[in-house]
Amino acid sequence: MEAPEDVSVREQLFHDRVRETIICVLLFICLYIVSYLVITHYKRNAEFTIDNSEDATVNKIALWLCTFTLSVSVGAVLLLPLSILSNEVLLSFPQSYYMQWLNGSLIHGLWNIVFLFSNLSLVFLLPFAYFFTESEGFAGSKKGVMARLYETAVVLFLLTLLVLGMVWVASAILDDNMARQSLYDLWEYYLPYLYSCISLFGVLLLLLCTPLGLSRMFSVTGRLLVKPRLLEDLDETMSCAEFEEASLSRNLTSGTSLWINVNAEVLRNRFLNIQARRIALEIRKRASPWQRNLGYPLAMLLLLAVTVVCVLIVCYHVVELLFDDTAMPRGMEDPLLGAASFSMFGSLGAAVQVILILYLMISSVVGFYSSPLFTGLRPRAQDTTLTQIIGNCVSLLVLSSALPVFSRTLGITRFDLLGDFGRYNWLGNFHIVFLYNILFAGLTSACLINTLTWTVQRELIRAFGLHKLPSTVSRSTIPLRLLLANGLSKIQ
């Protein structure tokens, strides 16, 4: 009787493993297709249609590696939302036959796969893609793809030795015993320390980009929506734009300017800007009163509410860190999905957690590309070079792979980190976690207050027509009665 039972158990384990593998492969294929469509939308087609077949082959290989990395980045972003939603689904349907495939083993496997592929892409694949595109082969060797491959392999090997040496020196400075052990056990001591350094850098980058992105989300959303007409004569503004567009069109057609001699390229750029402005004004004019007067305020209030909720959760987590040891981020080896909700508010709280995690990721990307240090990496449709694509993939991978640690450190969710994500050395340091929460709450509050005050001031200046004054006139010297009279005349 024992042999058939043993066979049935092994068959069940085999079928479970096959099922998990099929699900992971299908999920990765979907992510890869979406990532490929995104990259092809931004890549510069001239780099892949060149006559030199060698360069075209190298560029295609680098593009495939970038697509793989971007799909891993998207998978890292979806790790926490999928885990939280899976737990709530199993709580709602504990005995459902169609939900048996959704278990802790599958979720734990996804975390391990994303962790492995994210580090593999960051340490090997993306550096290989960059060096492969820049290589030409060793001097005196026969030109071709293989020669460039040999040069890339040698450069990547030397870079790996350099990075490992630098990390070993840093570990020796901080802990001499750990440095000695890392020489004998690379997998257990060296690589976890390297992963901790990379994750700490990603979490610090999120600390800088997310507060800036949360404040920039208001202006980004404002460009996508139709603003209400507050003390503004839209017909007059549109007439001025149409007149200026017609004047520039005549100057471009005749090839000469009536008053000043300007460069034709500058004149053409100005004409395109005026044309885009006129089209935007037409869209605003055609918008319905509900869309114009209700959609924009509701979107701004929603963004403000989500941002305030994030700050309040972090402030509550700061207090919780002082009195509860379980508030510290930690790893979890065996996820008990379907046992209890990870939010005190049940399924509604879990849905709010998922929304906040995705919102923080979007805000961090917006803040990253809004930073003056990284504006050069901002992708442009059909005009992004392969080197810029590689740089964007590296940046997005660093941000996305640190998102689970970032969300758990701030207390956005109580879902503990799975697999090697919970092995980071600095997660158990109370002072680092506590200071990180304080800095995030302070920076986000400061950026939010600054954005709101400047936005209100800018809208009032535009509503009263003061933005049309010459730069030599100081707006602070204008009497208050003149401001009120100007505003009342626009209302009438």
Side-chain angles (χ1 to χ4, degrees), residues 72-126:
V72 173
S73 303
V74 179
V77 173
L78 298 177
L79 274 182
L80 268 181
L82 286 178
S83 302
I84 296 172
L85 293 177
S86 300
N87 181 71
E88 298 302 321
V89 169
L90 292 177
L91 278 176
S92 303
F93 308 98
Q95 303 297 331
S96 177
Y97 173 77
Y98 299 100
M99 294 299 169
Q100 296 300 318
W101 59 272
L102 196 60
N103 49 36
S105 177
L106 174 63
I107 301 301
H108 194 276
L110 288 175
W111 281 71
N112 288 334
I113 291 173
V114 170
F115 181 84
L116 175 63
F117 284 166
S118 60
N119 287 281
L120 180 66
S121 300
L122 189 62
V123 177
F124 293 105
L125 297 185
L126 287 179

Side-chain angles (χ1 to χ4, degrees), residues 207-266:
L207 177 63
L208 298 178
C209 296
T210 306
L212 178 60
L214 289 173
S215 61
R216 291 283 298 171
M217 285 294 291
F218 293 91
S219 59
V220 172
T221 307
R223 297 194 196 101
L224 302 177
L225 299 176
V226 179
K227 294 183 180 180
R229 304 176 191 172
L230 179 63
L231 304 178
E232 181 182 5
D233 191 352
L234 190 59
D235 295 330
E236 179 183 355
T237 306
M238 180 179 259
S239 299
C240 294
E242 290 176 350
F243 177 78
E244 189 172 0
E245 182 184 1
S247 176
L248 292 174
S249 178
R250 286 195 301 269
N251 293 337
L252 287 173
T253 304
S254 61
T256 58
S257 179
L258 297 178
W259 298 283
I260 54 176
N261 294 324
V262 295
N263 190 4
E265 187 66 25
V266 175

Side-chain angles (χ1 to χ4, degrees), residues 32 115 127 157 160 193 196-197 235 250 293 301 327 333 357 384 394 401 452 486:
Y32 190 89
F115 181 84
F157 177 74
T160 303
Y193 187 80
S196 297
C197 296
D235 295 330
R250 286 195 301 269
N293 299 324
L301 289 176
E333 292 297 332
I357 291 171
T384 306
V394 171
S401 60
L452 292 178
N486 190 17

Side-chain angles (χ1 to χ4, degrees), residues 254-447:
S254 61
T256 58
S257 179
L258 297 178
W259 298 283
I260 54 176
N261 294 324
V262 295
N263 190 4
E265 187 66 25
V266 175
L267 199 63
R268 188 177 296 105
N269 292 334
R270 186 179 176 187
F271 171 76
L272 293 177
N273 292 333
I274 295 296
Q275 189 178 36
R277 182 186 175 191
R278 191 256 307 165
I279 294 174
L281 291 173
E282 289 180 352
I283 295 175
R284 291 182 58 186
K285 189 175 182 179
R286 291 196 302 265
S288 63
W290 289 97
Q291 181 182 0
R292 184 172 56 248
N293 299 324
L294 190 61
Y296 181 81
L298 285 180
M300 293 296 108
L301 289 176
L302 182 62
L303 289 178
L304 181 61
V306 173
T307 306
V308 171
V309 168
C310 288
V311 176
L312 292 178
I313 289 177
V314 175
C315 293
Y316 175 76
H317 189 244
V318 169
V319 178
E320 196 177 22
L321 285 171
L322 298 175
F323 302 100
D324 189 4
D325 293 337
T326 61
M328 288 288 294
R330 64 191 65 195
M332 178 173 55
E333 292 297 332
D334 186 16
L336 299 176
L337 297 182
S341 178
F342 292 102
S343 174
M344 64 179 66
F345 300 104
S347 299
L348 179 61
V352 172
Q353 289 179 2
V354 172
I355 293 174
L356 292 180
I357 291 171
L358 297 178
Y359 179 69
L360 288 176
M361 183 60 200
I362 296 173
S363 301
S364 65
V365 174
V366 172
F368 178 81
Y369 287 116
S370 301
S371 175
L373 298 176
F374 306 107
T375 52
L377 283 177
R378 186 179 302 172
R380 297 179 298 273
Q382 305 298 325
D383 193 29
T384 306
T385 63
L386 188 57
T387 304
Q388 288 179 323
I389 292 177
I390 295 174
N392 280 278
C393 290
V394 171
S395 305
L396 294 177
L397 181 61
V398 171
L399 293 175
S400 61
S401 60
L403 181 65
V405 183
F406 174 74
S407 302
R408 184 62 185 91
T409 304
L410 294 180
I412 303 298
T413 179
R414 297 301 296 266
F415 191 92
D416 287 324
L417 304 172
L418 294 178
D420 291 328
F421 280 92
R423 296 178 60 190
Y424 298 141
N425 298 332
W426 57 271
L427 284 177
N429 193 317
F430 171 79
H431 299 90
I432 294 179
V433 175
F434 184 78
L435 181 62
Y436 190 88
N437 283 263
I438 292 292
L439 288 176
F440 180 83
L443 290 175
T444 304
S445 302
C447 292

